[in-house]
Amino acid sequence: MVVDSSFYGVFSAEDSKAGHCVEIDRQIMVETHKGKRLYVLVTGDIKFGEHEEGLIDSNDALSHQGLVGMFVLKPNGNNWKIESASPIMSAGAQGMGLHDWKLMRLAPNTWGFINEDGYEYLGYVETSLIILTPNGQKIIKSSINNSDFSAYTDLCSDEVKRVCDDIKAKLQHIDTSKVVDGFYPLHFTVNGRKNNKTYKNANYTFYYKKGQGYQIPDNYPIGLEN
């Protein structure tokens, strides 16, 4: 499959065509109040392309993301019909798609695929929790930064930790006691150091916003520049 492949990282937003080999990573049946639904997750690695046609080839893929696609199917007689789908999204580093996605219940009758994405660049490491959720006929991709590590020197020893960021967030639980815009809130706990400030078991709640996915709290420290 030849599709746009996004440059990975915060330093460029360019897109180029790339050839992906796509495969099914997860295929899980669930029961909802509307009946059975089949959740399917596909991933794609950059494997082919031609320079003269302006495409990325596998040797140029290191700076680009892989492909991810999600489908929700509903019964249609003896077959299946697409209810929600976004077959072409970006996730993964070095031209490779993310594998081993987990399906989690994020609303009373809606599930979503979750995985961790990340990249490293010149001593800076960042990871994010990627959440894919159905939204009408399409899929919404939410991205929650869950770790930053920035070493501004070659070493990050005890003597120079003041110049390093090292902070992590963990999804503690999905709050099934309430529903906001159709989805359960997510509770995270943050520990570590960012911008010379220390966080110890700091709690943050992420709420879903209809049509936009999970929203980042204003005071959430990971991924913020200041």
Side-chain angles (χ1 to χ4, degrees), residues 209-224:
K209 187 172 183 178
K210 188 174 182 179
Q212 298 183 32
Y214 282 98
Q215 303 297 295
I216 308 298
D218 291 338
N219 60 342
Y220 186 65
I222 305 180
L224 299 178

Side-chain angles (χ1 to χ4, degrees), residues 4-179:
D4 287 336
S5 180
S6 298
F7 185 93
Y8 197 94
V10 297
F11 307 103
S12 175
E14 70 178 61
D15 288 326
S16 300
K17 296 290 185 180
H20 295 75
C21 290
V22 180
E23 64 180 6
I24 294 176
D25 182 72
R26 286 288 182 270
Q27 186 170 284
I28 303 173
M29 186 90 66
V30 300
E31 289 284 352
T32 78
H33 73 292
K34 295 181 179 180
K36 293 181 179 180
R37 292 295 184 269
L38 182 62
Y39 281 72
V40 181
L41 193 288
V42 301
T43 63
D45 300 341
I46 296 177
K47 292 294 186 181
F48 61 94
E50 297 291 340
H51 285 285
E52 56 267 28
E53 296 179 9
L55 302 181
I56 303 166
D57 68 14
S58 57
N59 293 323
D60 298 323
L62 293 180
S63 61
H64 288 259
Q65 290 185 274
L67 178 144
V68 62
M70 179 177 165
F71 304 80
V72 181
L73 308 179
K74 62 182 180 180
N76 183 32
N78 294 325
N79 297 305
W80 294 93
K81 179 180 180 181
I82 293 177
E83 183 174 67
S84 304
S86 288
I88 302 171
M89 297 177 283
S90 296
Q94 298 183 337
M96 295 183 292
L98 295 175
H99 296 274
D100 300 324
W101 289 76
K102 295 180 180 179
L103 187 68
M104 302 183 72
R105 191 171 189 170
L106 297 172
N109 284 283
T110 306
W111 282 252
F113 282 108
I114 296 180
N115 209 341
E116 187 174 81
D117 202 355
Y119 70 93
E120 179 178 355
Y121 183 81
L122 298 178
Y124 177 75
V125 180
E126 178 182 284
T127 63
S128 300
L129 196 68
I130 305 299
I131 305 173
L132 306 180
T133 50
N135 178 62
Q137 296 181 344
K138 297 183 179 180
I139 305 297
I140 284 184
K141 175 185 173 184
S142 302
S143 181
I144 298 174
N145 291 83
N146 64 350
S147 77
D148 275 347
F149 177 78
S150 303
Y152 301 113
T153 64
D154 292 336
L155 298 174
C156 200
S157 64
D158 291 339
E159 291 77 13
V160 295
K161 274 190 175 179
R162 64 184 181 278
V163 296
C164 299
D165 290 337
D166 190 0
I167 190 168
K168 296 180 180 179
K170 181 179 180 181
L171 175 59
Q172 290 294 334
H173 72 279
I174 299 170
D175 186 359
T176 59
S177 68
K178 63 181 67 174
V179 176

